[in-house]
Amino acid sequence: MMQPLRIVIADNESIIRMDLRELLEEAGHTVVGEAADGLKAVELVRKHRPDLVIMDIKMPEMDGISAAKIISNEKLAPVLLLTAYSQKEIVEKAKESGVLAYLVKPIKETNLFPAMEIALSRFQEFMELERELEEVKNSLETRKVLDRAKGILMDAYNLTESEAYRRIQQYSMSKRKSIREVAQAIVEAATRKR
């Protein structure tokens, strides 16, 4: 059984929203917002930060694919798209928008809950990859700045690379600053002297 989720649902047909709400609430989930158009859906998602968004493709103001793209780009929540259509071009557009799962109406409980789990799982994987990428970028930036700082100390004090690193490390510990902060300060000080 899936953990209870906070969900925003968006469909321009109130009967479908009502049926979906009932299905979700019977399964222990909470519908934190309902919208009849894509603009309102994006607004609700930004406001409530739900665990999942279930949204129809065809809606007024802004369609579900455009709304899903905004939600996906802002990394707000996983989106499960609903549609009465299974045409190839709609499926392609949905994939390009960052949608993590897709269901063709009429919605059946047997299809809905597995699709929700897939959307949640893919979103968690995506967020983990984003976090790892950010760590790699930070590590690379630190490495670049550290190499420049070591070079500056090696030139200024005729040190070996390991001696320069040890000085940065010691200063880092004594001042309770990260190695990157110390290295950055060395690089900035050297740049100002030029």
Side-chain angles (χ1 to χ4, degrees), residues 135-149:
E135 282 177 15
V136 168
K137 279 186 199 170
N138 284 335
S139 178
L140 194 58
E141 285 301 312
T142 298
R143 183 94 230 142
K144 281 200 260 181
V145 122
L146 180 58
D147 285 346
R148 284 182 64 199

Side-chain angles (χ1 to χ4, degrees), residues 153-171:
L153 291 181
M154 287 163 62
D155 290 345
Y157 300 104
N158 199 23
L159 302 171
T160 66
E161 185 178 354
S162 61
E163 289 170 331
Y165 179 71
R166 202 166 21 260
R167 283 207 185 167
I168 292 170
Q169 199 176 30
Q170 288 168 341
Y171 193 79

Side-chain angles (χ1 to χ4, degrees), residues 43-61:
E43 195 179 292
L44 286 171
V45 172
R46 284 177 176 150
K47 179 180 175 187
H48 294 291
R49 296 292 177 136
D51 301 312
L52 180 69
V53 180
I54 301 175
M55 183 165 24
D56 188 26
I57 286 182
K58 300 271 187 193
M59 291 188 291
E61 301 292 326

Side-chain angles (χ1 to χ4, degrees), residues 49-168:
R49 296 292 177 136
D51 301 312
L52 180 69
V53 180
I54 301 175
M55 183 165 24
D56 188 26
I57 286 182
K58 300 271 187 193
M59 291 188 291
E61 301 292 326
M62 178 190 290
D63 67 34
I65 290 175
S66 301
K69 192 171 186 103
I70 292 168
I71 292 165
S72 178
N73 287 345
E74 293 180 20
K75 298 172 187 72
L76 298 171
V79 178
L80 168 57
L81 269 188
L82 305 175
T83 183
Y85 314 93
S86 59
Q87 293 129 326
K88 191 166 177 51
E89 74 271 4
I90 290 179
V91 173
E92 284 305 311
K93 278 185 179 177
K95 282 186 347 193
E96 290 166 15
S97 73
V99 166
L100 298 171
Y102 182 95
L103 269 181
V104 178
K105 294 176 184 176
I107 302 151
K108 295 183 187 86
E109 195 173 332
T110 54
N111 297 341
L112 176 64
F113 297 117
M116 287 169 58
E117 286 192 39
I118 288 168
L120 289 165
S121 174
R122 286 186 180 157
F123 187 72
Q124 287 165 346
E125 288 170 14
F126 175 74
M127 294 308 284
E128 182 61 24
L129 283 173
E130 287 271 313
R131 191 188 58 71
E132 287 174 15
L133 180 63
E134 198 55 42
E135 282 177 15
V136 168
K137 279 186 199 170
N138 284 335
S139 178
L140 194 58
E141 285 301 312
T142 298
R143 183 94 230 142
K144 281 200 260 181
V145 122
L146 180 58
D147 285 346
R148 284 182 64 199
K150 285 190 297 189
I152 291 166
L153 291 181
M154 287 163 62
D155 290 345
Y157 300 104
N158 199 23
L159 302 171
T160 66
E161 185 178 354
S162 61
E163 289 170 331
Y165 179 71
R166 202 166 21 260
R167 283 207 185 167
I168 292 170

